[in-house]
Amino acid sequence: MRLSTARIAPIADHEITPEQEEVLAPFRDAALVGPGIANIFRTLARAPKALKRFNLWGSYILGASNDLSPRDRELIILRTGWLCRSGYEWVQHVRIGLAAGLTPLEIERIKAGPDAPGWQAIDAAKLRATDEQVREHFISDASWAALASFTDKQKMDLVFTIAQYTQVAMILNCLGVQLDAGQTLDSDFPTG
């Protein structure tokens, strides 16, 4: 976590306007962290029109229209969250990644990146592409070629997913969105 307190506080139930309730309604008891609305959505609800549009793109990235498998999607989201030092993103997506088929060992390996021992070549290629896009805002020709088993649409979805979650990480980090109740940050997570 970059910040120990929120710069923009999550909206409390008693503050919610009808417009905010409309954009928050799908998140009530829906799931990220159990009953209630997760801090990311309570924070973004302070700009309800932005949250509404944010959710449209986010539902593409996390939905069935994205041609990445859920496991591949979570692999690159977790690597993006790690590289961007977004503790909130990391904590949320560890749970989601496990449900999508990542193993605890793979999640540990994500921290070390594409050169960690044990990755299959295609997983290393996905992680390397993620590292390059996050750090250089570009995927090299060599890394692109290593994704040869991907369709063009899967390559596009990989780029879209990394870009979306880099944006999410920046929002979370800059606004200081704090972990939801009952969550704990991984002790290995880089801070500051």
Side-chain angles (χ1 to χ4, degrees):
M1 302 287 293
R2 301 278 184 113
L3 298 170
S4 59
T5 58
R7 286 179 170 164
I8 307 290
I11 197 163
D13 284 341
H14 72 276
E15 299 175 282
I16 296 174
T17 68
E19 182 183 23
Q20 291 165 328
E21 180 56 40
E22 181 183 330
V23 296
L24 287 172
F27 301 108
R28 287 203 179 277
D29 301 323
L32 257 185
V33 294
I37 301 170
N39 284 339
I40 182 175
F41 303 119
R42 284 184 175 276
T43 302
L44 295 179
R46 292 198 179 273
K49 288 176 178 58
L51 176 56
K52 184 174 184 173
R53 280 137 187 95
F54 176 86
N55 289 338
L56 290 173
W57 183 239
S59 66
Y60 172 83
I61 297 298
L62 293 175
S65 295
N66 185 330
D67 281 355
L68 298 177
S69 71
R71 180 193 175 278
D72 287 350
R73 182 193 68 224
E74 293 305 318
L75 178 82
I76 63 175
I77 289 171
L78 282 164
R79 184 63 180 164
T80 300
W82 187 264
L83 293 171
C84 294
R85 295 184 359 232
S86 179
Y88 190 95
E89 187 171 308
W90 178 263
V91 169
Q92 296 296 352
H93 284 274
V94 163
R95 183 183 52 76
I96 297 167
L98 290 167
L102 289 170
T103 68
L105 180 59
E106 288 172 322
I107 289 174
E108 283 301 307
R109 231 186 282 140
I110 288 168
K111 299 172 186 179
D115 297 323
W119 288 122
Q120 301 249 337
I122 189 61
D123 284 341
K126 293 172 223 166
L127 292 167
R128 189 162 286 104
T130 302
D131 284 14
E132 290 178 3
Q133 186 173 329
V134 170
R135 291 178 173 149
E136 303 297 324
H137 313 293
F138 181 74
I139 298 172
S140 70
D141 288 343
S143 293
W144 194 261
L147 298 169
S149 65
F150 271 32
T151 66
D152 286 347
K153 173 72 166 45
Q154 287 173 313
K155 290 175 188 174
M156 291 175 71
D157 285 340
L158 178 130
V159 169
F160 295 158
T161 302
I162 298 165
Q164 164 69 0
Y165 275 88
T166 299
Q167 174 190 0
V168 171
M170 289 188 294
I171 291 167
L172 293 166
N173 287 345
C174 291
L175 300 182
V177 176
Q178 299 298 296
L179 298 179
D180 293 289
Q183 294 181 326
T184 305
L185 187 61
D186 184 316
S187 62
D188 292 337
F189 205 83
T191 58

